[in-house]
Amino acid sequence: MSQKAEKPTLSGTRLKTRKRDEKEKYDPNSFRDAIIQGLNETEGDLEKVSKFLDVSGSRLNYRRYADVLFDVLFAGGILAPGGFIVEETDQSKPHRTDVCVFKCDADRESIKGFYEIFYKLIRRYKYLEKAFEEETRKVLVFQKGFTDLERKKLAIITGLILASALASPRVLE
């Protein structure tokens, strides 16, 4: 058995790291804060929300934080197991937004506005399709943690999503 001896290194030399080897830290809370701040600045105008999400897609990493993005758009914050919103220890930063499916009016037209946001977002960023289905499935599993009104809104938007084939019926499994 031949074992390779480690080559000697010179002291004072720098180790070269490639850019592809550098990993950025997974920080969903800062992503959530950026999304919530932008959503709160839109003041509930769904056209502005759609435009903000479209523009910020180039700045923010939607591919990496897709689950957080859809948690915020459905429930207004990051969902913890069981369907509860993760509370922030630092009260100076907002951890929840009122621009979400669960905080809009319970009528079909208001919820259809959020469906249009999901539709535009997924059509613009194709790679969000799979994450959207997984997140929809997760939100449906967490129904026990939601109020009756939130369940009703969830049922309406799920019906719209399934009727237009934005997600496959597998989300109901």
Side-chain angles (χ1 to χ4, degrees):
M1 291 272 182
S2 69
Q3 291 189 358
K4 289 187 176 181
E6 227 176 278
K7 293 183 179 178
T9 58
L10 294 174
S11 61
T13 59
R14 226 177 51 154
L15 291 173
K16 291 183 181 179
T17 59
R18 295 186 181 266
K19 206 169 203 176
R20 69 169 185 251
D21 295 336
E22 294 175 9
K23 300 285 184 199
E24 69 178 60
K25 191 176 84 172
Y26 182 73
D27 188 16
N29 289 336
S30 63
F31 179 82
R32 176 205 59 199
D33 294 343
I35 293 290
I36 287 176
Q37 180 185 4
L39 291 178
N40 288 340
E41 289 171 1
T42 63
E43 300 164 355
D45 182 9
L46 296 182
E47 276 301 314
K48 289 181 182 177
V49 169
S50 182
K51 185 172 174 122
F52 162 73
L53 291 171
D54 192 30
V55 169
S56 65
S58 61
R59 283 185 303 113
L60 302 172
N61 192 350
Y62 283 175
R63 186 182 308 268
R64 187 167 192 184
Y65 299 108
D67 56 338
V68 176
L69 173 67
F70 291 125
D71 275 350
V72 170
L73 290 175
F74 272 116
I78 297 177
L79 287 174
F84 303 102
I85 302 291
V86 174
E87 299 292 325
E88 187 67 42
T89 56
D90 183 10
Q91 295 300 326
S92 64
K93 292 192 291 187
H95 61 276
R96 190 168 190 163
T97 182
D98 290 337
V99 183
C100 64
V101 174
F102 288 172
K103 295 287 185 177
C104 72
D105 295 333
D107 63 287
R108 182 182 155 99
E109 292 306 312
S110 298
I111 295 174
K112 189 168 172 96
F114 276 97
Y115 160 77
E116 306 249 337
I117 289 173
F118 288 130
Y119 180 81
K120 289 176 185 176
L121 195 62
I122 289 172
R123 290 298 163 239
R124 173 80 167 89
Y125 302 102
K126 263 317 219 186
Y127 55 84
L128 289 177
E129 280 184 71
K130 185 176 180 185
F132 179 70
E133 283 195 14
E134 290 171 1
E135 194 61 30
T136 305
R137 183 180 297 132
K138 183 180 95 173
V139 170
L140 290 171
V141 167
F142 290 162
Q143 285 186 49
K144 291 180 184 174
F146 304 145
T147 65
D148 288 337
L149 186 59
E150 290 171 343
R151 285 188 205 137
K152 180 180 177 185
K153 294 173 189 177
L154 184 61
I156 293 170
I157 197 151
T158 304
L160 290 170
I161 288 168
L162 293 175
S164 64
L166 191 58
S168 70
R170 288 182 298 158
V171 299
L172 299 175
E173 292 176 351

